[in-house]
Amino acid sequence: MQVFRGFRHPGVAPACALTIGNFDGVHRGHQAMLALLQTEARQRGLPSCVLTFEPHPRDYFAALTKKPDLAPARIGTLRDKLSELAACGVAQTIVLPFDGRLASQSPEEFIQNVLVDGLGARYVLVGDDFRFGAKRAGDYAMLDAAGDRRGFDVARMNSYEVHGLRVSSSAVREALAEGRMADAQTLLGRPYTISGHVVHGRKLGRALGASAPGQDDGFRTLNLRFKHWKPAASGIFAVLVHGLADKPLPGVANLGVRPSLDANDVNAGRVLLETHCLEWPSHLGSEGAYGKIVRVELLHKLHDELRYTSLEALTAGIAKDGRDARAFFASTHAETHRQTTRDRI
């Protein structure tokens, strides 16, 4: 999949079948829409194209009005969104910066400047609640009428439901906020995942719980930055780590702002996913993971972030989280074995 920041690039296709949205999480409703887009694109001999925005429009208006509560919690990073869009077979994605200039465009200007002149849209697929243009004045009827005048087809897709529940980014955010990871997986069609480059931290974890003073074999962690200040999920999780070995590695992870650390933390103020593999790959040593891209599946929430009053209490807390994560994986393995046995009978 080709990715472009804006549409003023020579590599952008001159015509396309297009869908528009934020696609936070790329959940099952998004996936159904992208499957329909692929079908329509093939029938027309056009590349499929997603137009998405960064920052999220509500992030922009929250910053503009200094009302941070208006910003939605973010399900996924831009990296993960693009990865999932590529997995759905999208040919090109346009990441359009959402700024004052774009926010002030009338619906008619957006259609002409972006859809027609910018992207050469021949087919436009939107959701049933799609709004666009300054003050969200544009709707499906306006877009459909513009398509008739300018020569592009317009279609909309109704809500996608699973077991009677409307699949939406809001529903995924709610499930993640409440720690209902199985429900989030049902809505997403896959485990909830965060990926990124492993970055350096204070290297405090390796000293906590070390076998002897001066050793660095304690709670080594893989640190991934979540590049948004308001993640949809937070807390301590049992996880699986992909990308370090030939099989997924079980672990325990903290997603949040690490309230027990001081302001001198090298990642202070940033949301971080800190993952401790329950079995550290020996071939990595103490430094071999830095710079690698890993993918972490958050499978089960153990508890919210806690503030510990001392390093000794923090060490004991991490050790307990590790034991609880091991117990989760043991129970999951036992349930899988029981289900396999039942299937064979």
Side-chain angles (χ1 to χ4, degrees):
M1 182 180 76
Q2 292 184 295
V3 179
F4 300 95
R5 291 273 187 171
F7 48 77
R8 303 187 188 282
H9 299 278
V12 173
C16 68
L18 177 71
T19 190
I20 309 167
N22 293 299
F23 292 93
D24 191 18
V26 193
H27 53 63
R28 290 175 69 177
H30 293 144
Q31 293 162 31
M33 176 174 281
L34 294 170
L36 176 57
L37 179 71
Q38 293 290 87
T39 298
E40 297 290 341
R42 282 193 298 268
Q43 290 178 351
R44 290 168 168 79
L46 294 169
S48 57
C49 179
V50 167
L51 174 62
T52 191
F53 307 97
E54 190 66 31
H56 192 293
R58 286 166 58 191
D59 282 352
Y60 169 80
F61 288 112
L64 184 68
T65 59
K66 298 181 180 180
K67 296 179 179 179
D69 288 345
L70 294 178
R74 187 67 63 91
I75 298 170
T77 63
L78 179 59
R79 167 191 288 278
D80 288 327
K81 174 163 65 174
L82 294 175
S83 176
E84 293 300 330
L85 291 175
C88 290
V90 174
Q92 70 176 16
T93 292
I94 309 297
V95 182
L96 199 59
F98 196 91
D99 53 20
R101 181 178 178 181
L102 184 62
S104 64
Q105 284 191 356
S106 68
E108 294 81 4
E109 290 172 329
F110 179 83
I111 291 169
Q112 187 62 49
N113 297 339
V114 178
L115 304 189
V116 177
D117 295 340
L119 296 173
R122 298 291 180 267
Y123 170 85
V124 179
L125 174 65
V126 297
D128 56 3
D129 57 353
F130 179 68
R131 308 285 298 199
F132 65 101
K135 299 182 180 180
R136 293 170 52 85
D139 58 12
Y140 176 79
M142 181 183 292
L143 183 63
D144 189 40
D148 279 342
R149 294 193 305 270
R150 291 175 169 85
F152 60 86
D153 296 331
V154 178
R156 64 179 163 188
M157 186 168 178
N158 292 328
S159 300
Y160 187 86
E161 295 186 356
V162 175
H163 303 307
L165 174 65
R166 182 178 184 271
V167 179
S168 66
S169 295
S170 295
V172 177
R173 292 185 188 107
E174 182 177 329
L176 293 175
E178 296 175 359
R180 295 184 283 110
M181 307 311 289
D183 290 343
Q185 179 170 339
T186 297
L187 294 166
L188 292 168
R190 63 184 186 281
Y192 177 58
T193 302
I194 297 171
S195 68
H197 288 91
V198 179
V199 300
H200 289 272
R202 286 179 60 190
K203 300 179 174 60
L204 176 64
R206 63 180 64 184
L208 298 178
S211 59
Q215 298 296 312
D216 63 356
D217 58 351
F219 302 116
R220 300 188 185 102
T221 59
L222 308 166
N223 302 328
L224 307 183
R225 288 179 184 144
F226 189 93
K227 295 185 179 180
H228 192 269
W229 62 276
K230 193 176 180 180
S234 65
I236 315 302
F237 299 85
V239 303
L240 284 176
V241 180
H242 300 258
L244 292 180
D246 57 1
K247 62 179 182 179
L249 301 174
V252 60
N254 184 112
L255 175 60
V257 294
R258 305 161 311 287
S260 298
L261 297 185
D262 61 39
N264 294 320
D265 176 14
V266 69
N267 290 296
R270 291 172 172 165
V271 176
L272 208 66
L273 178 65
E274 291 182 309
T275 302
H276 169 60
C277 293
L278 299 178
E279 297 177 4
W280 186 261
S282 59
H283 69 277
L284 291 176
S286 60
E287 305 291 326
Y290 293 116
K292 291 186 179 295
I293 297 177
V294 299
R295 181 166 54 89
V296 182
E297 294 180 1
L298 283 65
L299 301 179
H300 174 70
K301 184 169 181 176
L302 299 174
H303 58 80
D304 290 333
E305 278 194 294
L306 300 175
R307 180 181 291 277
Y308 295 98
T309 57
S310 66
L311 289 181
E312 291 76 14
L314 176 60
T315 301
I318 296 173
K320 182 180 185 303
D321 292 338
R323 292 193 297 271
D324 291 345
R326 290 181 189 276
F328 165 76
F329 286 112
S331 65
T332 301
H333 177 76
E335 177 58 32
T336 300
H337 177 72
R338 285 193 294 270
Q339 182 63 49
T340 302
T341 300
R342 286 195 294 268
D343 290 344
R344 289 175 178 172
I345 295 175

mmCIF file with all atom_site columns, all heavy atoms in Angstrom, residues 25 130 331:
data_model
loop_
_atom_site.group_PDB
_atom_site.id
_atom_site.type_symbol
_atom_site.label_atom_id
_atom_site.label_alt_id
_atom_site.label_comp_id
_atom_site.label_asym_id
_atom_site.label_entity_id
_atom_site.label_seq_id
_atom_site.pdbx_PDB_ins_code
_atom_site.Cartn_x
_atom_site.Cartn_y
_atom_site.Cartn_z
_atom_site.occupancy
_atom_site.B_iso_or_equiv
_atom_site.pdbx_formal_charge
_atom_site.auth_seq_id
_atom_site.auth_comp_id
_atom_site.auth_asym_id
_atom_site.auth_atom_id
_atom_site.pdbx_PDB_model_num
ATOM 1  N N   . GLY A 1 25  ? -8.929  2.282   14.833 1.00 0.00 ? 25  GLY A N   1
ATOM 2  C CA  . GLY A 1 25  ? -9.110  0.880   15.201 1.00 0.00 ? 25  GLY A CA  1
ATOM 3  C C   . GLY A 1 25  ? -9.300  -0.058  14.030 1.00 0.00 ? 25  GLY A C   1
ATOM 4  O O   . GLY A 1 25  ? -9.053  -1.257  14.145 1.00 0.00 ? 25  GLY A O   1
ATOM 5  N N   . PHE A 1 130 ? -22.049 9.943   7.851  1.00 0.00 ? 130 PHE A N   1
ATOM 6  C CA  . PHE A 1 130 ? -20.982 10.787  7.328  1.00 0.00 ? 130 PHE A CA  1
ATOM 7  C C   . PHE A 1 130 ? -21.411 12.247  7.227  1.00 0.00 ? 130 PHE A C   1
ATOM 8  O O   . PHE A 1 130 ? -22.473 12.570  6.699  1.00 0.00 ? 130 PHE A O   1
ATOM 9  C CB  . PHE A 1 130 ? -20.572 10.276  5.937  1.00 0.00 ? 130 PHE A CB  1
ATOM 10 C CG  . PHE A 1 130 ? -19.481 11.086  5.281  1.00 0.00 ? 130 PHE A CG  1
ATOM 11 C CD1 . PHE A 1 130 ? -18.196 11.081  5.792  1.00 0.00 ? 130 PHE A CD1 1
ATOM 12 C CD2 . PHE A 1 130 ? -19.743 11.849  4.149  1.00 0.00 ? 130 PHE A CD2 1
ATOM 13 C CE1 . PHE A 1 130 ? -17.186 11.818  5.189  1.00 0.00 ? 130 PHE A CE1 1
ATOM 14 C CE2 . PHE A 1 130 ? -18.743 12.584  3.536  1.00 0.00 ? 130 PHE A CE2 1
ATOM 15 C CZ  . PHE A 1 130 ? -17.456 12.572  4.058  1.00 0.00 ? 130 PHE A CZ  1
ATOM 16 N N   . SER A 1 331 ? -4.579  -20.744 32.647 1.00 0.00 ? 331 SER A N   1
ATOM 17 C CA  . SER A 1 331 ? -6.014  -21.037 32.550 1.00 0.00 ? 331 SER A CA  1
ATOM 18 C C   . SER A 1 331 ? -6.474  -21.030 31.103 1.00 0.00 ? 331 SER A C   1
ATOM 19 O O   . SER A 1 331 ? -7.323  -21.836 30.702 1.00 0.00 ? 331 SER A O   1
ATOM 20 C CB  . SER A 1 331 ? -6.810  -20.026 33.369 1.00 0.00 ? 331 SER A CB  1
ATOM 21 O OG  . SER A 1 331 ? -6.680  -18.717 32.826 1.00 0.00 ? 331 SER A OG  1
#
